[in-house]
Amino acid sequence: MSIYILAFLFCMILGRVMLYNNGTESVIYRQKKLYLIMVTLLLGLISGFRSTSVGYDTNSYSMIFDDVWVGSVDEIIDSVNRIELGFVLWCGLIKTLGGNFQWLLITTSIFVVGSFCVFVYRHSKSALWSIFVLFCFQYYYSSFDIIRHFMATSFLLLGYKYVEERKIVPFLLFIVMGSFFHKIAFVFALYYFVPLLKWNRISFIVFVILALILNVFVSNFSVELSLLLGKGDYTQMHDSIQWIGAYSGGEKTFILFLVLSSVMYFVYRINKQRNRVSESINNISLTYCFLITMFAFFFINALMMTRFIMTSSAFLAIAIPNLLIADGKRKIDDKRIKSIARWVILIALAYHAFLLLTNWQNVVPYMPYWQKNHII
């Protein structure tokens, strides 16, 4: 797991050096862009250079790649009967250009990480904080595994600016593009309504009651959804602990996000009292903290919910810095918020260690494709 730790330290040090220099706004944005490009290349290539033993589904995708043919319409139709059209065409393009499965991993990995970094560039107050969250929570390591899901999520992130601009038609076009890689993209259309949520005592109570009610039905719902998506019955996987990493059960994940959301709620209250952050950003950011906690709660009874935790962790990467950093600032300037931020860092680092030690999504040990017996 040393390669992940070294990559994490490199990205943190690089960001600290690059992103906190004084300069004009154009210089600041140029530094941010350059930093995110470098992160995309580094993390995209680490993921893309992995062997088929890294990630539970990587070997399965290798077999899918070998089985996909696009030499004729009939071959495309035959492939689409087994896998989504977008992924079939992506595989076919790589084969047509003379590439192999490793090129599929490289291109999809760079696209997934790059889409996340575009999302951060557009919507996060701090690229460094967002990359910190990328490492410490599920998004990056999970992307080693369910590739088509993360391709669909990437289109959601690229189209998210239309959620902020309240332009539903272009947003839905990105959802449709994502659905060509995974049908779960249609569920992501619900993110368009997130900005409508406003938090107060009544709405919070309603949210908790609704989560408790939905939890009663979530197991049956996840079965129906997984069958609809062609994923089989996730309830049969309750005993397959290795699928989510040894000891990384739903209860532990839920407790982590419950603590984190509670901490971020205090930040939300401070922001509201001192007008540090605009009401819309304050509300939306807290909503994403609450949503990932709700999905973690559902995860206790339905493993299908891990997919929504993975997707939600991308939004957590903008929610945390957007709550911690005041509007118009580049770093935390409030003493009380600084002390809370230290607790957030400790919680995140502890969870990062937890993910690696429990081998989340089978990313440990890391082995590059050219040295399958060489562990990093």
Side-chain angles (χ1 to χ4, degrees):
M1 70 177 72
S2 60
I3 190 171
Y4 303 125
I5 298 173
L6 290 173
F8 170 72
L9 292 175
F10 176 80
C11 289
M12 294 301 99
I13 295 171
L14 180 66
R16 190 67 181 87
V17 171
M18 291 185 64
L19 300 176
Y20 285 93
N21 297 322
N22 295 323
T24 63
E25 188 172 344
S26 62
V27 171
I28 291 170
Y29 276 102
R30 191 158 57 244
Q31 291 170 339
K32 184 179 181 181
K33 183 184 294 185
L34 179 60
Y35 172 68
L36 290 172
I37 289 172
M38 294 175 70
V39 169
T40 296
L41 292 175
L42 175 64
L43 300 189
L45 292 177
I46 288 175
S47 175
F49 286 161
R50 71 188 186 272
S51 73
T52 54
S53 65
V54 181
Y56 287 114
D57 288 348
T58 307
N59 190 57
S60 297
Y61 275 108
S62 176
M63 291 186 287
I64 291 171
F65 180 83
D66 292 337
D67 290 340
V68 167
W69 295 101
V70 291
S72 67
V73 174
D74 289 339
E75 288 175 343
I76 293 175
I77 293 174
D78 180 63
S79 297
V80 169
N81 288 333
R82 294 176 283 113
I83 209 80
E84 284 87 352
L85 176 62
F87 194 75
V88 168
L89 295 179
W90 194 295
C91 293
L93 177 62
I94 290 173
K95 284 189 171 184
T96 301
L97 296 175
N100 56 21
F101 176 66
Q102 210 61 50
W103 278 104
L104 175 73
L105 290 185
I106 293 170
T107 54
T108 53
S109 296
I110 290 177
F111 180 75
V112 167
V113 179
S115 300
F116 175 85
C117 287
V118 170
F119 177 67
V120 167
Y121 180 79
R122 290 172 174 171
H123 306 291
S124 175
K125 294 178 184 177
S126 171
L128 181 60
W129 265 98
S130 293
I131 298 304
F132 174 76
V133 174
L134 171 67
F135 271 103
C136 291
F137 295 94
Q138 289 92 341
Y139 198 83
Y140 180 57
Y141 299 123
S142 298
S143 70
F144 283 46
D145 198 26
I146 47 178
I147 298 173
R148 291 179 298 119
H149 174 97
F150 277 90
M151 293 292 284
T153 300
S154 295
F155 282 100
L156 167 65
L157 300 185
L158 292 173
Y160 183 74
K161 71 172 186 174
Y162 298 112
V163 173
E164 290 193 342
E165 295 172 4
R166 309 310 296 157
K167 296 179 180 178
I168 191 168
V169 173
F171 174 66
L172 290 179
L173 288 176
F174 276 89
I175 294 298
V176 171
M177 285 189 284
S179 71
F180 284 115
F181 290 88
H182 202 292
K183 296 173 186 174
I184 202 169
F186 290 119
V187 181
F188 295 161
L190 296 174
Y191 276 94
Y192 189 80
F193 302 101
V194 168
L196 301 179
L197 295 175
K198 308 297 180 184
W199 293 105
N200 53 47
R201 185 175 299 177
I202 294 176
S203 61
F204 177 74
I205 292 173
V206 170
F207 178 79
V208 172
I209 293 174
L210 184 62
L212 291 172
I213 293 173
L214 291 175
N215 188 57
V216 176
F217 305 100
V218 71
S219 183
N220 290 333
F221 169 76
S222 66
V223 172
E224 296 300 323
L225 181 60
S226 62
L227 292 173
L228 181 65
L229 299 176
K231 298 286 106 182
D233 187 347
Y234 271 73
T235 60
Q236 296 175 357
M237 302 175 68
H238 264 293
D239 296 327
S240 301
I241 300 299
Q242 290 183 348
W243 184 74
I244 54 171
Y247 311 114
S248 56
E251 295 87 353
K252 298 178 181 66
T253 300
F254 170 63
I255 291 171
L256 173 279
F257 285 117
L258 181 63
V259 171
L260 181 63
S261 290
S262 299
V263 171
M264 298 315 297
Y265 174 73
F266 284 114
V267 178
Y268 165 85
R269 291 294 301 272
I270 294 172
N271 290 341
K272 198 169 184 179
Q273 292 167 2
R274 302 182 182 179
N275 293 318
R276 295 180 67 252
V277 176
S278 69
E279 184 179 356
S280 61
I281 291 178
N282 213 28
N283 270 293
I284 291 172
S285 299
L286 185 66
T287 298
Y288 287 128
C289 293
F290 283 168
L291 283 178
I292 198 168
T293 304
M294 181 183 71
F295 292 137
F297 178 53
F298 294 162
F299 180 41
I300 296 173
N301 295 317
L303 294 183
M304 177 68 176
M305 291 298 108
T306 190
R307 288 179 174 265
F308 295 99
I309 294 174
M310 294 170 185
T311 295
S312 296
S313 62
F315 292 90
L316 193 67
I318 64 168
I320 289 177
N322 287 355
L323 283 169
L324 291 174
I325 301 172
D327 291 345
K329 303 292 183 180
R330 296 185 63 196
K331 56 185 179 181
I332 302 170
D333 60 347
D334 185 288
K335 290 183 179 180
R336 193 174 177 187
I337 300 294
K338 279 184 179 180
S339 63
I340 294 174
R342 294 187 188 102
W343 283 104
V344 174
I345 291 171
L346 290 175
I347 292 169
L349 288 175
Y351 195 64
H352 188 205
F354 176 77
L355 290 175
L356 293 178
L357 292 174
T358 59
N359 192 16
W360 179 269
Q361 299 300 331
N362 197 38
V363 299
V364 179
Y366 179 86
M367 284 186 282
Y369 75 92
W370 63 84
Q371 283 184 305
K372 295 186 177 180
N373 296 319
H374 183 62
I375 297 173
I376 301 178

